[in-house]
Amino acid sequence: MVENDRWSRMLAHAILILGVALVIFPVYVAIIASTHDGQTFLSGTLPLLPGTQAWQNYTTVIFEGRSRAGTPPIAQMLWNSFIMAMTIALGKIAISLLSAFAIVYFRFPFRMFFFWIIFMTLMLPVEVRIVPTFQVVADLGMLNSFAGLSIPLIASATATFLFRQFFMTIPEEMLEAARMDGAGPLKFFRDILLPLSITNIAALFVIMFIYGWNQYLWPLLITTDPGYYTIVMGIQRMVTGGDSEPLWHLVMATVVIAALPPILVILFMQRLFVKGLTETEK
Amino acid sequence: MQTKQLTFNHRWLPYLLLAPQVIITAIFFLWPAAQAMYQSLLRQDAFGFRTTFVGLDNFTALFADDLYLNALKVTLVFSLGTTLLSMSIALLFAVMVNRMLRSRDLYTTFLVWPYAIAPAIAGVLWWFIFNPSIGILPYLLEMLGINWNHRANGNHAMILVIIAAAWKQISYNFLFFLAGLQSIPQSLIEAAAIDGASRLKRFWTIVFPLLSPITFFLLVVNIVYAMFDTFGVIHATTEGGPAQATNILVYKVYRDGFVSMNLGSSAAQSVILMAIVVVLTVIQFRYIERKVNY
């Protein structure tokens, strides 16, 4: 029996409530700031209670943008982020399913060689090879395009390993039965492996969507045309864009909108998210 | 590495299946990495007309360069600060949440969502809260007699980026610590309680040692995160300043390559960073190998 007295439980709750408050605090401040008008920020400290300008601010950033501060309407940027995140997530899942299938269900020369090539991607994040990767994308004429934004990022060792691990747990009898019924490799993949992998695919999708949505350095490098800006990198342009103090109420409205889609994904798919996060790290 | 006992026989299909992954890896990962290694041995003149082979000169120049040595030091402080701050807060939360029964899921929900926030956005949020003229925290700090100014004071800027980077990472560490705590057999803790060990003593002599594999794993993951995934935090806020105080290695590679156009030096820095990732990945995977096999 472990003691679990009232007071220590109260203390634990107190610490947690304080902790949660601290964790939420920055976002709370952002939401509050996005409901005030620009004047508020010129006069001293930010208020901690909501203002009345929310509707005004949000419609401004979404549909009008502020050309003076160098930002197009964010509706376009949101759409770009969405396309980029979806392409990256689905692309990673598709090509990783295929390569895991090849590695687990076939024996062929150079199998290990290919496995190591895929493994190498883990050791070469884009941050460590910025300039030469930019040069390759530029040489291929992929600057300022959705292909350039997404394709270079869809190679994935973690996704391949996850699917490999999962395929290894599928009983041998599945393949035996399928072969007895005369199913070829592609039919086996489509009718047996894919349906069995749905949960893993969904879990991975949650993680990879967030990964794609939150890309920053990559769109920063390869887009110069505002028509291809993504929302997360667009915020930086708003903060450091002009010479004057940023228009904080509009910046914070944009921050709230930019953070919302991935947060909603996590909150509504928490179970899948936790599964995806813990499994991909194995 | 194993396959299934039973496999398909096909001459070219497996290569076709692997092709998309391998081609993308070759074009966008391996080729640029090879280019970085090659360029790190070259030096371009200021106009990009002439390129000469200089051997390891770029590397020796780096290690004689005060700015680079400074970036190394800054990265070390930043990574360790971020990792320790984020992990210790997450561990505290996880231990507390693990004691709850009914409210466990509720607290977890409240603590996991910052994972969704991009590093750049985390930076902007804290940059705003710490804003010297309108931010809330400088206002409070002033009551304590601290004149906060991250635009002029390097230490303040460093604290700011560490807090922003650590805040976003708490969720991740929390989830792994909580999973680790839940896998510790309750009987061990009860046995110690019967022997009269206090709560604190039980934590340090039983729980913490049993968590050490996860702690070690998180240590590596967090250092990788702080070193390579926090470009956005720096770029969207301090831009490496004031006076180089937050110029981490990844940010410096970007600056030297794109802003100052010093390609040889930037490539040499890339190669050093690759070496660091390789070492960290090997450590991580050697450890995971053991975790899987026990």
Side-chain angles (χ1 to χ4, degrees):
Chain A
M1 221 351 254
V2 176
E3 80 277 16
N4 211 344
D5 54 285
R6 248 182 116 80
W7 288 111
S8 81
R9 273 178 87 81
M10 297 277 273
L11 182 69
H13 275 296
I15 292 175
L16 280 173
I17 289 168
L18 194 72
V20 167
L22 273 177
V23 166
I24 291 181
F25 182 64
V27 174
Y28 175 77
V29 171
I31 294 172
I32 294 300
S34 70
T35 62
H36 287 275
D37 59 13
Q39 287 299 314
T40 317
F41 301 94
L42 300 177
S43 53
T45 313
L46 182 85
L48 280 175
L49 292 172
T52 52
Q53 296 294 308
W55 178 254
Q56 171 93 38
N57 290 342
Y58 282 94
T59 48
T60 305
V61 290
I62 293 177
F63 300 110
E64 294 167 33
R66 287 303 268 254
S67 47
R68 197 158 49 85
T71 51
I74 65 171
Q76 175 74 46
M77 294 195 270
L78 280 172
W79 176 246
N80 295 344
S81 285
F82 179 74
I83 300 278
M84 181 179 175
M86 287 301 274
T87 319
I88 288 177
L90 296 177
K92 271 181 190 282
I93 289 169
I95 69 173
S96 302
L97 271 171
L98 294 179
S99 25
F101 177 51
I103 284 176
V104 173
Y105 282 97
F106 292 86
R107 276 195 213 124
F108 53 96
F110 300 112
R111 200 168 127 270
M112 280 313 279
F113 171 75
F114 286 119
F115 181 81
W116 282 108
I117 283 192
I118 296 171
F119 184 80
M120 298 262 278
T121 57
L122 270 187
M123 305 199 188
L124 298 169
V126 86
E127 283 78 8
V128 310
R129 49 187 171 80
I130 298 173
V131 179
T133 315
F134 170 81
Q135 286 164 345
V136 168
V137 174
D139 289 343
L140 292 173
M142 286 164 72
L143 298 179
N144 290 318
S145 71
F146 284 120
L149 276 174
S150 48
I151 292 173
L153 299 183
I154 67 177
S156 178
T158 43
T160 309
F161 293 168
L162 174 76
F163 286 127
R164 178 191 160 257
Q165 207 120 14
F166 173 66
F167 290 166
M168 294 306 290
T169 67
I170 293 177
E172 297 274 345
E173 288 78 12
M174 289 282 190
L175 179 57
E176 243 170 81
R179 290 236 298 211
M180 230 174 270
D181 290 343
L186 291 180
K187 191 163 173 54
F188 174 74
F189 179 74
R190 202 185 54 213
D191 292 345
I192 296 182
L193 279 190
L194 267 190
L196 285 174
S197 311
I198 283 297
T199 322
N200 282 294
I201 291 175
L204 205 58
F205 178 82
V206 173
I207 302 294
M208 294 308 180
F209 181 86
I210 295 170
Y211 165 86
W213 184 274
N214 286 348
Q215 280 305 310
Y216 181 79
L217 173 62
W218 188 243
L220 186 76
L221 290 182
I222 70 157
T223 61
T224 46
D225 173 356
Y228 287 100
Y229 281 4
T230 62
I231 183 88
V232 175
M233 67 160 287
I235 288 171
Q236 187 268 338
R237 299 272 147 118
M238 297 177 82
V239 178
T240 53
D243 293 333
S244 54
E245 188 73 3
L247 300 165
W248 284 115
H249 56 304
L250 299 183
V251 173
M252 287 301 142
T254 314
V255 160
V256 171
I257 296 172
L260 206 55
I263 289 180
L264 289 180
V265 167
I266 286 194
L267 291 183
F268 283 110
M269 302 192 229
Q270 196 175 325
R271 228 160 269 272
L272 283 175
F273 162 69
V274 173
K275 180 178 162 64
L277 200 65
T278 45
E279 306 257 305
T280 46
E281 292 295 350
K282 265 196 255 171
Chain B
M1 194 188 57
Q2 356 151 227
T3 46
K4 296 283 184 184
Q5 292 294 319
L6 196 63
T7 52
F8 288 108
N9 265 321
H10 208 291
R11 194 178 293 255
W12 49 263
L13 186 62
Y15 298 104
L16 190 69
L17 293 169
L18 279 168
Q21 180 94 271
V22 169
I23 290 171
I24 289 173
T25 304
I27 296 178
F28 296 108
F29 287 76
L30 302 181
W31 173 252
Q35 282 289 305
M37 287 179 203
Y38 175 64
Q39 284 169 2
S40 73
L41 305 175
L42 305 176
R43 181 167 296 151
Q44 272 190 335
D45 67 17
F47 304 101
F49 292 140
R50 257 165 31 117
T51 308
T52 39
F53 181 83
V54 293
L56 294 177
D57 279 10
N58 285 325
F59 292 93
T60 45
L62 272 183
F63 286 104
D65 179 2
D66 284 343
L67 290 182
Y68 190 71
L69 296 176
N70 172 67
L72 275 175
K73 200 187 79 196
V74 165
T75 309
L76 191 72
V77 173
F78 174 69
S79 312
L80 287 182
T82 305
T83 303
L84 294 182
L85 181 64
S86 180
M87 282 179 68
S88 45
I89 293 177
L91 180 60
L92 177 70
F93 287 172
V95 169
M96 296 297 159
V97 168
N98 192 42
R99 290 178 49 194
M100 304 301 169
L101 297 170
R102 271 169 304 158
S103 53
R104 184 184 287 167
D105 289 351
L106 183 69
Y107 281 123
T108 304
T109 304
F110 273 117
L111 291 172
V112 295
W113 59 268
Y115 177 85
I117 304 228
I121 293 185
V124 171
L125 284 174
W126 286 97
W127 179 249
F128 180 59
I129 292 174
F130 275 110
N131 183 301
S133 51
I134 56 167
I136 290 159
L137 291 182
Y139 178 76
L140 296 176
L141 286 170
E142 200 165 296
M143 293 183 193
L144 301 173
I146 300 168
N147 186 11
W148 182 270
N149 191 345
H150 53 239
R151 292 213 174 97
N153 185 322
N155 289 334
H156 290 178
M158 177 60 96
I159 292 171
L160 170 73
V161 289
I162 286 179
I163 291 178
W167 172 70
K168 184 210 133 57
Q169 194 70 355
I170 289 175
S171 318
Y172 185 93
N173 294 327
F174 168 77
L175 281 173
F176 276 86
F177 274 134
L178 189 61
L181 287 168
Q182 285 172 351
S183 69
I184 293 176
Q186 197 60 28
S187 56
L188 279 178
I189 295 166
E190 282 174 12
I194 290 168
D195 287 349
S198 69
R199 192 183 291 281
L200 210 60
K201 189 165 168 96
R202 290 200 303 266
F203 178 78
W204 287 114
T205 54
I206 299 172
V207 177
F208 193 69
L210 285 173
L211 278 180
S212 61
I214 288 208
T215 309
F216 179 67
F217 161 78
L218 285 177
L219 205 61
V220 178
V221 170
N222 277 273
I223 289 175
V224 171
Y225 159 78
M227 286 189 75
F228 302 102
D229 294 340
T230 50
F231 175 87
V233 176
I234 306 286
H235 185 260
T237 61
T238 63
E239 303 195 60
Q244 307 278 333
T246 54
N247 198 3
I248 60 172
L249 290 171
V250 170
Y251 190 70
K252 189 168 161 55
V253 175
Y254 165 81
R255 286 291 290 220
D256 289 354
F258 277 92
V259 185
S260 337
M261 290 300 204
N262 191 346
L263 292 186
S265 171
S266 174
Q269 293 178 42
S270 283
V271 173
I272 294 172
L273 283 176
M274 279 181 221
I276 297 175
V277 196
V278 169
V279 171
L280 289 171
T281 316
V282 168
I283 293 176
Q284 190 180 333
F285 270 75
R286 284 196 69 131
Y287 149 70
I288 282 170
E289 216 61 51
R290 257 183 287 140
K291 189 176 83 169
V292 172
N293 290 339
Y294 66 77

